[in-house]
């Protein structure tokens, strides 16, 4: 039977529960346990797919096509595992299931209530992955902050599980903040005391308290927290701010977070963690030999979380290339013909980001043109690839009004058009082309060189596609479709063979990049940027 670790958060949001959970999972995995992580989110959207990136950051897509919280990206990048729909559950999904059951008459005339019906459904889903027998330890992150109205049913479910399972099958880890007051020159434990008190009032007592802090905690503070929060001093863990999130597993190892969890779980025999690869990655990350500057062109650049997986992919690809990747955020809305050279000056590569809707696209097209004409390495992802296609149509093929029907439904030259199966879709949630699809690469193309094989799979999230009616014209003028879905004929990759590095992909390679397996396209893009920089 699987054992369960629950991770809750208190005091404020954005403390990095996802990173702490992923780091703990990494350590347990490095000690040979079969581990996975799931996240329960208290909002009412059925999944985050319908959320604006400004609301919730990037939407992470799994192999099986689930639109999930960005923390699942951290789990995959740390653990090199594939998560799936089951790993991310929202209040909306819980209620949807319960209400559907009620409509089907499955409750046999009973009054349907938060306790036990909603909490039963939460518990059923908390156990689903563990029941498969595929894992030894399941970490469950509870989204939100203790004390929020929305998180109550989830905390109640944790309470019931704590009560229901044998003592040594469950650990509750509570993450809090220990603020440092500059004027008093003191670390303050009161918010943590209150947060643990609030959690305890709901019946859940944490076994371990992880304290985010900018300053070293020291034994006095640890003892004070232990005393007031009723945990052993060894179960008060200091989580200092780290220079990179990839250092957190090692910090947690030093603080023995994994050992204390295993002790509570009754696991007394375990090997030393194998973190060789992780440490060599960190070394390369911290001591790069060169630097490249990449322009990230998007419309949500003010919000770093909107492009989380892309930024992390740059970190993985930079480390393997022993280069520091400095990312310059360039807002696509502010690029025009006059300032483009100035805006893109000093860059070694240009990435045009994914996105939706009309805003900022002309800036993206102008940036692509600059990269194409100046031999600047170019990498377009999803909308970024579509912009490269429009740019080529307008400026090389001379189809001045070429457009995407997403932005210009009546365009006479829809070089990007709506996929056939999308035409009848009216509902927005979960209806894009989602998840992993196979793609065949053309022999000797750049894409083929990059991947080193002709059959790949990558993850998708889009409604529009390259319009094959124009393919011959594109290829005759020098832009080739080098990756195609063999079943549907959809073009997934466009590239320019007579450019040092110009590639646009309809899929999202950033969703499969991890510390252990950096995404090949990112690795090659950074290598091309290095070459450009040397020149
Ligand atoms: N808006 C485009 C589409 O739906 C691109 C989507 C994306 O960049 N993820 O096809």
């Amino acid at each position: 039977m699987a054992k369960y670790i629950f991770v809750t958060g208190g005091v404020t949001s954005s403390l990095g529960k996802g990173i702490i959970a992923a780091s703990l999972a990494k350590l347990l995995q490095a000690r040979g346990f079969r581990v996975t992580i799931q996240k329960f989110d208290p909002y009412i959207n059925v999944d985050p797919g319908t959320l604006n990136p400004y609301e919730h950051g990037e939407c992470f897509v799994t192999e099986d096509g689930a639109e999930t919280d960005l923390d699942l990206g951290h789990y995959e990048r740390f653990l090199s595992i594939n998560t799936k729909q089951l790993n991310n559950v929202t209040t909306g999904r819980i209620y949807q299931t319960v209400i559907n059951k009620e409509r089907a008459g499955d409750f046999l005339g009973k009054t349907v209530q938060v306790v036990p019906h909603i909490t039963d459904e939460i518990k059923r889903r908390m156990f689903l992955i563990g029941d498969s027998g595929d894992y030894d330890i399941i970490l469950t992150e509870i989204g939100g902050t203790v004390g929020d109205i929305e998180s109550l049913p989830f905390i109640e479910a944790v309470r019931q599980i704590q009560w229901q399972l044998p003592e040594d099958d469950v650990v509750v880890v509570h993450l809090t903040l220990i603020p440092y007051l500059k004027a008093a020159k003191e670390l303050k434990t009161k918010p943590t005391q209150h947060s643990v008190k609030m959690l305890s009032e709901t019946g859940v007592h944490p076994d371990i308290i992880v304290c985010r802090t900018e300053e070293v905690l020291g034994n006095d503070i640890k003892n004070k927290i232990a005393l007031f929060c009723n945990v052993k001093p060894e179960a008060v863990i200091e989580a200092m701010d780290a220079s990179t999130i990839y250092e957190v597993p090692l910090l947690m190892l030093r603080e023995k977070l994994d050992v204390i969890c295993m002790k509570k779980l009754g696991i007394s025999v375990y090997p030393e963690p194998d973190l060789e690869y992780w440490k060599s990655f960190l070394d390369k990350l911290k001591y790069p030999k060169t630097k490249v500057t990449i322009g990230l062109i998007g419309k949500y650049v003010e919000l770093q979380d909107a492009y989380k997986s892309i930024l992390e992919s740059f970190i993985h690809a930079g480390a393997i290339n022993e280069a520091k990747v400095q990312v310059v955020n360039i807002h696509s809305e502010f690029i025009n013909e006059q300032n483009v050279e100035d805006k893109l000056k000093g860059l070694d590569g240009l990435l045009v980001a994914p996105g939706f809707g009309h805003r900022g696209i002309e800036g993206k097209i102008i940036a692509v043109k600059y990269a194409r004409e100046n031999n600047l390495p170019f990498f377009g992802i999803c909308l970024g690839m579509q912009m490269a296609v429009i740019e080529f149509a307008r400026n090389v093929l001379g189809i001045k009004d070429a457009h995407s029907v997403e932005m210009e439904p009546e365009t006479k030259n829809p070089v990007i058009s709506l996929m056939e199966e999308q035409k009848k879709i009216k509902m927005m949630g979960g209806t894009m082309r989602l998840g992993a699809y196979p793609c065949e690469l053309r022999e000797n193309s750049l894409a083929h060189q990059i991947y080193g094989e002709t059959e790949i799979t990558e993850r998708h999230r889009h409604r529009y596609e390259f319009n094959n009616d124009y393919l011959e014209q594109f290829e005759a003028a020098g832009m080739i479709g080098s990756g195609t879905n063999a079943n549907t004929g959809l073009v997934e990759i466009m590239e320019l063979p007579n450019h040092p590095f110009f590639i646009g992909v309809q899929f999202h390679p950033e969703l499969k990049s991890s510390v252990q397996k950096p995404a090949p396209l990112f690795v090659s893009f950074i290598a091309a940027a290095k070459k450009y920089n040397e020149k």
Side-chain angles (χ1 to χ4, degrees):
M1 213 189 104
K3 293 183 181 278
Y4 288 86
I5 299 176
F6 292 95
V7 182
T8 58
V11 182
T12 77
S13 58
S14 306
L15 285 183
K17 247 186 309 177
I19 302 296
I20 294 290
S23 299
L24 174 56
K26 181 76 222 170
L27 295 177
L28 295 168
Q29 186 193 52
R31 290 188 190 273
F33 294 100
R34 298 171 306 156
V35 184
T36 193
I37 317 190
Q38 52 189 358
K39 180 163 192 202
F40 283 67
D41 273 314
Y43 49 78
I44 298 177
N45 303 64
V46 172
D47 62 42
T50 52
L51 287 168
N52 185 318
Y54 285 120
E55 289 280 323
H56 203 70
E58 164 190 279
C59 172
F60 187 81
V61 180
T62 58
E63 286 288 289
D64 66 349
E67 295 180 286
T68 71
D69 185 80
L70 57 78
D71 273 333
L72 273 81
H74 290 308
Y75 307 163
E76 292 204 356
R77 288 187 284 271
F78 273 56
L79 299 173
S80 286
I81 55 165
N82 283 336
T83 56
K84 45 192 178 191
Q85 178 69 72
L86 287 182
N87 294 71
N88 192 198
V89 178
T90 67
T91 294
R93 197 172 287 278
I94 299 280
Y95 271 79
Q96 194 181 48
T97 312
V98 173
I99 290 170
N100 286 345
K101 269 171 87 175
E102 185 274 333
R103 291 290 81 185
D106 291 352
F107 291 108
L108 307 174
K110 287 260 183 286
T111 307
V112 181
Q113 295 179 299
V114 173
V115 183
H117 302 103
I118 294 296
T119 48
D120 278 354
E121 178 57 19
I122 294 174
K123 284 196 296 177
R124 187 183 73 82
R125 287 183 181 264
M126 281 178 171
F127 289 134
L128 263 184
I129 294 181
D131 286 347
S132 68
D134 295 340
Y135 299 100
D136 305 313
I137 303 173
I138 315 282
L139 282 90
T140 304
E141 180 188 345
I142 309 292
T145 308
V146 164
D148 295 348
I149 293 176
E150 295 95 344
S151 6
L152 274 175
F154 294 101
I155 303 290
E156 167 60 13
V158 175
R159 183 194 70 77
Q160 291 180 21
I161 291 173
Q162 225 180 7
W163 167 82
Q164 176 183 334
L165 292 189
E167 183 107 355
D168 60 3
D169 276 352
V170 187
V171 181
V172 176
V173 177
H174 188 55
L175 176 66
T176 72
L177 174 72
I178 310 289
Y180 180 75
L181 290 194
K182 276 211 185 80
K185 294 202 179 65
E186 255 186 285
L187 286 161
K188 289 295 182 189
T189 64
K190 194 76 83 191
T192 295
Q193 294 177 40
H194 281 302
S195 162
V196 171
K197 191 171 155 203
M198 200 161 352
L199 185 59
S200 300
E201 277 167 8
T202 59
V204 174
H205 188 70
D207 302 293
I208 297 167
I209 299 174
V210 178
C211 306
R212 277 298 302 274
T213 171
E214 287 171 38
E215 299 288 327
V216 177
L217 285 188
N219 280 339
D220 285 355
I221 298 276
K222 280 192 173 180
N223 286 334
K224 188 172 174 188
I225 296 168
L227 177 67
F228 283 101
C229 299
N230 197 22
V231 297
K232 295 272 181 278
E234 61 174 27
V236 179
I237 303 290
E238 168 190 287
M240 284 278 277
D241 289 356
S243 59
T244 148
I245 55 170
Y246 297 105
E247 200 163 356
V248 179
L250 300 183
L251 295 181
M252 291 302 102
L253 180 69
R254 220 169 53 204
E255 283 284 304
K256 300 196 170 65
L257 174 60
D258 58 333
V259 170
I260 293 155
C261 279
M262 288 188 291
K263 190 171 164 193
K264 170 69 178 51
L265 292 174
I267 302 170
S268 50
V269 192
Y270 42 81
E272 281 300 306
D274 176 4
L275 290 164
E276 278 322 302
Y277 187 87
W278 197 269
K279 286 178 185 162
S280 79
F281 161 79
L282 259 184
D283 266 353
K284 287 196 195 120
L285 181 62
K286 284 178 146 176
Y287 309 106
K289 295 194 177 127
T290 48
K291 187 179 117 179
V292 294
T293 309
I294 303 294
L296 170 64
I297 315 251
K299 68 169 175 176
Y300 309 112
V301 288
E302 312 85 333
L303 187 82
Q304 287 299 292
D305 275 358
Y307 302 115
K308 196 85 213 165
S309 294
I310 290 177
L311 297 176
E312 298 305 323
S313 301
F314 277 139
I315 292 174
H316 310 153
I320 215 165
N321 275 294
E322 299 186 80
K324 177 176 169 48
V325 181
Q326 166 145 27
V327 178
V328 180
N329 297 309
I330 304 170
H331 204 302
S332 50
E333 264 185 299
F334 305 133
I335 301 176
N336 54 45
E337 301 274 9
Q338 286 71 46
N339 69 12
V340 61
E341 193 169 347
D342 203 38
K343 288 252 181 218
L344 307 188
K345 191 170 58 200
L347 298 182
D348 305 314
L350 189 71
L351 186 143
V352 177
F356 294 84
H358 197 275
R359 198 161 65 86
I361 62 154
E362 292 305 327
K364 288 184 175 173
I365 293 171
I366 292 168
V368 178
K369 177 167 185 264
Y370 180 88
R372 181 176 56 76
E373 290 179 343
N374 293 281
N375 283 339
L376 179 65
F378 166 82
F379 184 13
I381 299 182
C382 209
L383 183 69
M385 173 239 185
Q386 298 174 356
M387 293 304 109
V389 165
I390 295 174
E391 191 280 317
F392 194 83
R394 288 185 188 173
N395 300 323
V396 179
L397 302 181
I399 312 173
K400 288 290 165 222
D401 60 351
H403 223 308
S404 162
V405 294
E406 178 180 7
M407 292 87 191
E408 187 87 42
E410 303 305 326
T411 177
K412 295 230 169 44
N413 281 296
V415 287
I416 302 295
S417 57
L418 194 57
M419 278 181 283
E420 213 38 57
E421 76 255 29
Q422 287 286 332
K423 289 188 177 152
K424 42 191 183 299
I425 290 174
K426 295 275 177 298
M427 299 286 269
M428 296 303 275
T431 56
M432 278 186 252
R433 181 175 183 230
L434 289 167
Y437 284 91
C439 174
E440 268 177 24
L441 306 183
R442 191 185 288 194
E443 296 272 354
N444 302 323
S445 62
L446 176 62
H448 181 207
Q449 279 167 38
I450 290 172
Y451 281 94
E453 51 194 340
T454 50
E455 279 276 346
I456 58 160
T457 69
E458 290 283 6
R459 299 184 195 168
H460 291 250
R461 183 174 190 248
H462 59 110
R463 292 185 202 279
Y464 300 87
E465 53 152 336
F466 177 76
N467 183 346
N468 274 327
D469 293 349
Y470 293 87
L471 187 59
E472 245 181 63
Q473 247 179 299
F474 271 76
E475 299 218 331
M479 182 180 260
I480 64 163
S482 56
T484 319
N485 181 300
N487 305 321
T488 54
L490 292 176
V491 172
E492 317 279 33
I493 308 178
M494 294 294 275
E495 61 181 71
L496 287 178
N498 58 13
H499 184 287
F501 190 100
F502 189 105
I503 193 160
V505 296
Q506 187 57 79
F507 46 76
H508 291 264
E510 73 276 21
L511 299 175
K512 275 179 46 170
S513 188
S514 70
V515 168
Q516 241 126 337
K517 280 195 216 128
L521 279 160
F522 278 85
V523 175
S524 299
F525 177 52
I526 296 304
K530 252 167 84 174
K531 229 187 244 165
Y532 183 88
N533 179 283
E534 281 156 17
K535 272 201 212 139

